[in-house]
Amino acid sequence: MASEKEKDQYDYLFKFIIIGDAGAGKSCLLHQFIENRYKKGSSHTIGVEFGSKIIHVGGRNIKLQIWDTAGQERYRSVTRSYYRGAAGALIVYDITNRDSYNHLVNWLQDARTLARADTSIITVGNKCDMKDKRAVTFLEASRCAQENDILFLETSALTGEGVEDVFIKVARVILNKIEDGLIDPNTMVSGTHTGSQRIGSDSGGEAMSSKTCSC
Amino acid sequence: APPPADLPAAASAAPAAAPPPLSFAAAPAAAPAQEARGPTAGAGERRWNAGHDHEVSPRELTKWSEMVQFGVTRYMDVHPDRFRRRVRRGVPQRFRWLVWKAAVSRGTFDRDLPRVSSSYHSLRDVRNSSTSQIEIDIRRTFPEERSFDAEQQQRLFRVLNAYAGHNPDVGYCQGMNYIAGLLLIVSGSEEESFGVLCSLMDDPQYGLVGFYKEGLPLLKRYLRACDKLVLETVPQLREHFMKEGLRPAMYLHQWFLSVFINSFPLSMVMIIWDVIVTEGLPVILRIAVKPCMGCIHLFPRYA
């Protein structure tokens, strides 16, 4: 076990948001990532919940501050305010629920217009353990992601399959952008050590995108 | 809906259910009592438990028996202050549903029940545009509550489905499931739960419909009012929160949209609800500020 001090050392702090239809498994995905186990008998999210974890990518310690939002359509007017300044966005759908996949485009548009112009987005097909109930093929979703220039992975929050990869993949893309000088880490929630920087996301406000979804 | 405008002045009044200081994290229903208690909790303070009910002394029970014999609605009119004081100590479980029904209907509940019941039965099994959303959520309501078994989930489904049919403009919004679920736990009756749910949603005294309809207008109004109240009551805490990027909506959404049901131990929720049902919705602002006031002790430099 790392000491408290060691645990809180990180090079960058990335804000992630998890969005997608109600019941897609957003909170279970987050729980699996943070706790490495499936959250049985969980309630739906009201408003927003949080999780954070330090991961090691490309020789860097990156602290992910993850905002897990409620999925119900009616909550969107309130959850939208949480997108601001997010460096990464996970759009989760349920591979057994066609509707949740069809709504991807709406979520994508929200993410692109409300987070940052350069937000790294991944679409996540969750519940891939339920193969016999599959309603969206891997190929179809993969193609859609490609067309929209976003990442794609399938996961099972139940078994843990693919879950960590999702977070690492997005973090790696963001890190690459920083190292290539495409993102100035000072314009987002970032910091070199805990306690010295603000966790607020006020600095992300300027990054409103003019792009709209191409779907 | 009632304007919460008068509430800032009332903030200094007696606390609603006198909850002990709490952390902002949602307390699981099974949390040991001491975990839900802040550093200032004294020996004389109420203990919250994982069960549904608080402890009631025989003397308190006698008082409530007398009130019920006198007539709850009449008692509310004749001795409003005494009634309120006693409710704030918690209505004993055996009288709770009786008091809630009397409070929401001003005593006409039983007279209206046949009409409500027939409306309920005509709506409960008819699919509507909210039905599939309700189906997703019934398993995600009180998941840690053992009494909320498959049968209770089906009752919950029918009550919510009936309400969505009764008021298609609102349909179903997450949060309503906790309210209907709590009513079922307290009443054990679908028809009566449906009746009380309709009153809480539609009657102006509560007007919960404003929390859940498109755009969540009343919620936004309550958020602003509560933020103002926090600013006036515990300005240092609000400043600290803002500095940390913690905006009021982040904790208030859950408190308000589940009307505290999913946020505190059930035995505490019951008393909070005794107060809300008998005093009206605006009291939730004062209830929401209490944990914030309790929190101040966690920040010695502000205390």
Side-chain angles (χ1 to χ4, degrees), chain A:
Chain A
M1 277 287 282
S3 74
E4 280 301 314
K5 202 178 168 190
E6 275 168 339
K7 270 199 292 188
D8 268 1
Q9 302 276 332
Y10 54 87
D11 301 303
Y12 296 114
L13 174 65
F14 296 165
K15 173 179 171 178
F16 277 22
I17 47 168
I18 308 182
I19 55 181
D21 273 17
K26 298 179 291 297
S27 301
C28 289
L29 194 77
L30 176 62
H31 194 263
Q32 176 65 256
F33 174 61
I34 305 273
E35 305 284 342
N36 293 313
R37 58 192 159 86
Y38 178 64
K39 193 179 187 191
K40 216 175 140 192
S42 58
S43 53
H44 57 80
T45 308
I46 297 183
V48 66
E49 283 173 22
F50 302 94
S52 72
K53 186 171 178 173
I54 294 180
I55 56 171
H56 311 282
V57 178
R60 302 280 194 176
N61 285 339
I62 295 169
K63 181 168 182 171
L64 302 182
Q65 181 196 79
I66 305 152
W67 299 44
D68 170 29
T69 63
Q72 199 185 1
E73 172 71 30
R74 200 166 303 172
Y75 282 172
R76 253 199 234 189
S77 65
V78 291
T79 50
R80 276 177 168 158
S81 64
Y82 300 131
Y83 288 40
R84 217 164 73 139
L90 279 57
I91 307 179
V92 185
Y93 69 93
D94 169 359
I95 66 152
T96 71
N97 179 343
R98 188 84 205 166
D99 281 346
S100 72
Y101 174 75
N102 292 339
H103 296 150
L104 277 184
V105 284
N106 307 333
W107 291 110
L108 185 59
Q109 184 162 356
D110 272 6
R112 287 206 164 130
T113 52
L114 299 168
R116 295 167 55 97
D118 51 16
T119 299
S120 301
I121 301 170
I122 187 166
T123 180
V124 180
N126 192 34
K127 309 193 188 178
C128 74
D129 53 285
M130 296 167 78
K131 288 186 174 64
D132 48 338
K133 287 188 181 167
R134 181 186 280 278
V136 183
T137 66
F138 184 92
L139 194 66
E140 179 186 9
S142 166
R143 230 176 246 155
C144 171
Q146 233 168 18
E147 282 164 16
N148 289 291
D149 197 22
I150 54 177
L151 304 164
F152 168 64
L153 271 182
E154 283 194 347
T155 59
S156 164
L158 179 69
T159 65
E161 186 185 338
V163 172
E164 199 167 17
D165 298 341
V166 166
F167 292 88
I168 289 174
K169 203 165 178 173
V170 179
R172 181 165 289 138
V173 170
I174 299 167
L175 191 62
N176 288 344
K177 285 182 186 170
I178 290 173
E179 287 171 350
D180 294 345
L182 298 172
I183 294 182
D184 176 2
N186 295 319
T187 66
M188 58 181 193
V189 276
S190 65
T192 48
H193 292 286
T194 187
S196 61
Q197 85 291 322
R198 287 173 52 171
I199 305 182
S201 55
D202 294 343
S203 55
E206 81 290 343
M208 293 298 272
S209 169
S210 57
K211 272 193 277 179
T212 50
C213 176
S214 55
C215 327

Side-chain angles (χ1 to χ4, degrees), chain A residues 15 22-24 41-50 67 70-75 77-79 81-82 97 198-201, chain B residues 133 136-137 139-140 143 170 172-175 177-178 212-216 219-220 243-245 247 249-250 253-254 257-258 262:
Chain A
K15 173 179 171 178
S42 58
S43 53
H44 57 80
T45 308
I46 297 183
V48 66
E49 283 173 22
F50 302 94
W67 299 44
Q72 199 185 1
E73 172 71 30
R74 200 166 303 172
Y75 282 172
S77 65
V78 291
T79 50
S81 64
Y82 300 131
N97 179 343
R198 287 173 52 171
I199 305 182
S201 55
Chain B
Q133 178 68 52
I136 294 177
D137 283 349
R139 281 181 304 276
R140 308 200 288 171
V170 178
Y172 166 72
C173 179
Q174 290 179 333
N177 52 331
Y178 279 104
Y212 300 114
K213 70 180 175 193
E214 200 60 51
L216 320 172
L219 174 76
K220 288 169 183 168
K243 218 159 73 188
E244 293 295 333
R247 280 171 285 139
M250 293 178 191
H253 273 164
Q254 196 187 75
L257 285 171
S258 78
N262 194 31

Side-chain angles (χ1 to χ4, degrees), chain B residues 215-235:
Chain B
L216 320 172
L218 192 63
L219 174 76
K220 288 169 183 168
R221 207 158 144 208
Y222 267 74
L223 284 184
R224 284 195 299 273
C226 193
D227 189 35
K228 191 167 169 237
L229 195 52
V230 170
L231 178 69
E232 286 168 9
T233 320
V234 277

Side-chain angles (χ1 to χ4, degrees), chain A residues 72 74-75, chain B residues 1-2 163-176 179 196-222 256-257 259 273 276 281-282 284:
Chain A
Q72 199 185 1
R74 200 166 303 172
Y75 282 172
Chain B
Y163 184 81
H166 155 78
N167 191 347
D169 284 346
V170 178
Y172 166 72
C173 179
Q174 290 179 333
M176 287 165 58
I179 294 173
V196 171
L197 178 66
C198 289
S199 296
L200 293 171
M201 294 291 285
D202 307 339
D203 286 357
Q205 186 194 356
Y206 307 101
L208 269 173
V209 85
F211 270 9
Y212 300 114
K213 70 180 175 193
E214 200 60 51
L216 320 172
L218 192 63
L219 174 76
K220 288 169 183 168
R221 207 158 144 208
Y222 267 74
F256 285 169
L257 285 171
V259 198
W273 265 71
I276 295 169
L281 193 63
I284 67 171

Side-chain angles (χ1 to χ4, degrees), chain B residues 25-214:
Chain B
Q34 64 272 22
E35 266 183 32
R37 299 170 70 194
T40 58
E45 286 198 28
R46 193 193 294 279
R47 282 170 188 278
W48 305 105
N49 57 52
H52 297 176
D53 206 16
H54 58 286
E55 283 167 33
V56 185
S57 69
R59 201 164 148 249
E60 194 78 2
L61 268 182
T62 310
K63 283 182 191 170
W64 276 96
S65 296
E66 286 165 7
M67 283 158 74
V68 167
Q69 264 179 351
F70 187 81
V72 175
T73 326
R74 200 167 135 223
Y75 203 97
M76 288 170 83
D77 292 337
V78 179
H79 306 289
D81 292 340
R82 199 186 301 157
F83 181 77
R84 197 166 69 162
R85 215 168 46 238
R86 288 181 181 177
V87 167
R88 286 182 176 208
R89 290 198 295 265
V91 179
Q93 189 168 13
R94 72 171 76 162
F95 298 122
R96 177 164 283 133
W97 189 242
L98 195 100
V99 171
W100 287 16
K101 283 192 292 184
V104 298
S105 68
R106 303 290 308 149
T108 65
F109 195 88
D110 290 335
R111 196 194 66 202
D112 297 338
L113 190 59
R115 188 177 47 80
V116 170
S117 194
S118 116
S119 156
Y120 174 71
H121 285 277
S122 69
L123 291 165
R124 59 174 220 182
D125 298 320
V126 182
R127 290 189 77 87
N128 55 61
S129 59
S130 300
T131 303
S132 54
Q133 178 68 52
I134 295 169
E135 282 167 338
I136 294 177
D137 283 349
I138 54 161
R139 281 181 304 276
R140 308 200 288 171
T141 310
F142 294 113
E144 283 157 6
E145 181 64 31
R146 222 170 287 158
S147 70
F148 224 90
D149 56 12
E151 252 178 68
Q152 189 78 310
Q153 288 175 1
Q154 282 314 308
R155 284 185 210 110
L156 175 66
F157 169 78
R158 290 190 291 263
V159 171
L160 289 172
N161 196 55
Y163 184 81
H166 155 78
N167 191 347
D169 284 346
V170 178
Y172 166 72
C173 179
Q174 290 179 333
M176 287 165 58
N177 52 331
Y178 279 104
I179 294 173
L182 183 76
L183 298 178
L184 282 167
I185 289 173
V186 175
S187 74
S189 157
E190 287 177 48
E191 291 87 347
E192 294 193 4
S193 293
F194 174 71
V196 171
L197 178 66
C198 289
S199 296
L200 293 171
M201 294 291 285
D202 307 339
D203 286 357
Q205 186 194 356
Y206 307 101
L208 269 173
V209 85
F211 270 9
Y212 300 114
K213 70 180 175 193
E214 200 60 51

